[in-house]
C-alpha cells in the first residue's frame, strides 16, 4: 500500500498559465492504493488506473481508498496516479525513483486530460511540501507550519473551461487582464518573503482573491465562504485552483480552526481542517491500514 497527498494553490493560479510564478502546497488528506500482481489488466473504469498499468507494462489488481473529494481542484487524480505508480513500482520491483514517478504521472494526466494538465499536481503529490512553479521549472521551498481550512463549495466547475474563459477575456481586453496577472504575480513574489508570517500572508491571500474575482473566476458561493472565514477570524482567505466553483482556502490561527470550519459548514459547504504535508508519496504499513490524516467533516 502506498499513499500520496492532495494539494492546494496558495498563490498564482491562472497566472501560472501565462508563465507567472505559482505557489502550491501538499495537504494532509491522501489517497491510499494497494496493488497486487495479477494475470489480467485491472477491472476498473478509471482511465487513470488503466494508464498506470499500461505505462509500466504490467498487470495487477488495485484497491483505492481516498480521503480527497474528486473533481474539486484538490489534486485527487494526481494523488491516485502517483500512489498507483509507486505501488506498482514496488510490487514489480521496477526501481523507478520519485522524480521518475512524478514524470510518468504527469504524462498520464496529460494523456487522460487531453493536454490540459499542468505538472503542478503530480509534482506536489510526489514530493510533498511547498513548491514554487514558474514556466517549466519547479523549486521545492522549506516547509512552513500553516493552519488551513479548505471550504469545498460543492459547486461543480471545469478547470479547462475556466482557463479558456480567462484566455478569451485576455484576448478581448489585455489592457485590463494583463495588469491583473502582473498583480497576481506580485502577490506571489511578496508572499515568498513572508511564508512564516500568517498575518501578512493572509493579507496577500485576500488581495489574490480579489484579483481572481476581477479575472472572472469567482462564484457567489466562494465569496460567501471567503467572507464567512474572515468574519470567523481567518488571517486571509481566497479561491484555490481554477475557481468558478470548487474550493477556497482560509489561513487560520490554530485556535480558530474549528470555528472557521463551522462557519464554512454553516454556508452549506464542506470544511476540511488541514495543514502542510511534507512527505509526498510514501509506503504505508498495510496491517495498520490508512493512517488517520486530515480531518474531514461530514464525510
Ligand atoms: O486544477 P486546479 O483546480 O488546481 O486549477 C488549476 C490551476 C490553473 O492555474 C487554473 C490551471 C493550471 O493548469 O495551472
Amino acid at each position: 500500500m502506498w499513499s500520496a497527498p492532495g494539494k492546494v494553490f496558495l498563490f498564482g493560479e491562472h497566472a501560472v498559465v501565462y508563465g507567472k510564478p505559482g505557489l502550491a502546497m501538499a495537504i494532509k488528506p491522501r489517497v491510499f492504493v494497494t496493488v497486487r500482481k495479477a494475470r489480467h489488466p485491472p477491472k476498473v473504469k478509471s482511465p487513470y488506473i488503466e494508464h498506470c498499468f499500461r505505462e509500466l507494462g504490467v498487470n495487477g489488481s488495485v484497491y483505492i481508498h481516498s480521503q480527497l473529494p474528486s473533481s474539486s481542484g484538490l489534486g485527487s487524480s494526481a494523488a491516485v496516479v502517483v500512489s498507483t505508480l509507486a505501488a506498482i513500482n514496488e510490487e514489480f520491483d521496477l526501481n523507478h525513483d520519485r522524480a521518475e514517478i512524478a514524470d510518468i504521472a504527469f504524462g498520464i494526466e496529460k494523456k487522460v486530460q487531453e493536454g490540459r494538465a499542468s505538472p503542478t499536481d503530480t509534482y506536489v503529490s510526489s514530493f510533498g511540501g511547498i513548491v514554487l512553479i514558474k514556466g517549466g521549472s519547479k523549486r521545492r521551498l522549506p516547509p512552513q507550519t500553516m493552519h488551513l481550512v479548505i471550504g469545498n463549495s460543492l459547486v461543480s466547475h471545469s478547470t479547462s473551461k475556466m482557463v479558456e474563459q480567462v484566455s478569451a477575456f485576455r484576448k478581448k481586453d489585455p489592457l485590463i487582464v494583463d495588469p491583473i496577472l502582473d498583480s497576481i504575480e506580485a502577490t506571489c513574489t511578496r508572499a515568498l518573503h513572508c511564508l512564516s508570517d500568517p498575518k501578512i500572508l493572509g493579507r496577500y491571500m485576500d488581495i489574490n482573491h480579489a484579483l481572481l474575482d476581477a479575472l472572472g473566476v469567482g462564484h457567489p458561493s466562494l465569496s460567501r465562504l471567503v467572507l464567512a472565514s474572515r468574519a470567523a477570524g481567518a488571517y486571509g482567505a481566497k479561491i484555490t485552483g481554477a475557481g468558478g466553483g470548487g474550493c477556497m482556502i482560509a489561513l487560520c490561527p490554530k485556535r480558530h480552526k474549528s470555528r472557521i470550519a463551522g462557519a464554512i459548514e454553516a454556508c452549506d459547504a464542506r470544511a476540511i481542517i488541514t495543514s502542510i504535508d511534507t512527505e509526498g508519496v510514501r509506503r504505508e504499513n498495510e496491517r495498520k491500514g490508512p493512517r488517520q490524516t486530515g480531518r474531514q467533516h461530514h464525510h
Side-chain angles (χ1 to χ4, degrees):
M1 181 191 286
W2 283 70
S3 73
K7 71 98 197 23
V8 290
F9 260 97
L10 294 174
F11 289 92
E13 51 273 87
H14 286 288
V16 287
V17 174
Y18 302 92
K20 309 281 192 200
L23 204 54
M25 186 177 92
I27 51 168
K28 293 258 193 243
R30 283 180 169 254
V31 170
F32 298 81
V33 177
T34 308
V35 165
R36 285 184 212 293
K37 286 182 184 157
R39 246 179 256 134
H40 306 288
K43 288 191 196 70
V44 286
K45 285 193 202 89
S46 161
Y48 290 104
I49 304 291
E50 279 171 26
H51 274 88
C52 287
F53 283 94
R54 203 177 305 159
E55 207 69 40
L56 296 181
V58 295
N59 286 322
S61 65
V62 278
Y63 172 75
I64 300 173
H65 168 79
S66 180
Q67 300 172 329
L68 286 163
S70 59
S71 329
S72 57
L74 300 180
S76 81
S77 71
V80 165
V81 173
V82 167
S83 48
T84 302
L85 289 172
I88 296 173
N89 186 51
E90 187 191 5
E91 182 73 355
F92 292 86
D93 293 318
L94 302 177
N95 287 315
H96 291 295
D97 63 22
R98 207 184 271 255
E100 287 167 342
I101 298 277
D103 280 346
I104 301 168
F106 173 47
I108 291 171
E109 286 241 293
K110 224 167 29 182
K111 255 183 223 155
V112 178
Q113 296 169 11
E114 288 162 0
R116 272 267 171 236
S118 90
T120 307
D121 290 20
T122 42
Y123 189 86
V124 173
S125 188
S126 299
F127 288 96
I130 303 178
V131 176
L132 178 67
I133 308 111
K134 193 174 180 191
S137 79
K138 298 167 227 81
R139 189 153 60 89
R140 299 176 66 201
L141 302 182
Q144 299 284 343
T145 324
M146 259 184 231
H147 301 289
L148 291 182
V149 177
I150 298 168
N152 183 355
S153 69
L154 305 176
V155 173
S156 69
H157 69 153
S158 144
T159 298
S160 58
K161 213 181 97 194
M162 300 319 290
V163 169
E164 266 157 41
Q165 191 182 302
V166 171
S167 159
F169 187 12
R170 183 165 177 258
K171 269 192 207 111
K172 193 166 151 255
D173 211 336
L175 236 45
I176 288 183
V177 173
D178 287 337
I180 295 175
L181 296 174
D182 290 340
S183 295
I184 290 176
E185 172 172 32
T187 64
C188 187
T189 38
R190 288 277 190 275
L192 291 178
H193 300 289
C194 57
L195 287 176
S196 57
D197 189 336
K199 275 192 192 143
I200 301 178
L201 200 64
R203 274 213 302 273
Y204 289 130
M205 286 170 80
D206 288 347
I207 296 169
N208 195 160
H209 176 76
L211 292 164
L212 286 167
D213 244 348
L215 265 191
V217 301
H219 187 279
S221 71
L222 290 170
S223 305
R224 206 167 151 224
L225 300 181
V226 162
L227 294 176
S229 309
R230 290 178 192 154
Y235 291 120
K238 64 183 274 294
I239 289 164
T240 188
C247 294
M248 51 70 69
I249 49 171
L251 183 65
C252 306
K254 194 177 178 195
R255 64 187 188 285
H256 289 151
K257 275 179 155 188
S258 47
R259 190 170 84 191
I260 292 160
I264 287 171
E265 301 224 322
C267 303
D268 299 317
R270 291 222 172 113
I272 302 173
I273 297 177
T274 191
S275 56
I276 186 169
D277 181 291
T278 53
E279 279 192 75
V281 65
R282 72 173 178 224
R283 189 179 199 283
E284 295 287 333
N285 184 337
E286 262 170 90
R287 260 163 299 173
K288 271 201 231 136
R291 282 190 227 165
Q292 273 314 305
T293 51
R295 273 173 281 165
Q296 293 201 20
H297 291 245
H298 295 216
H299 265 245

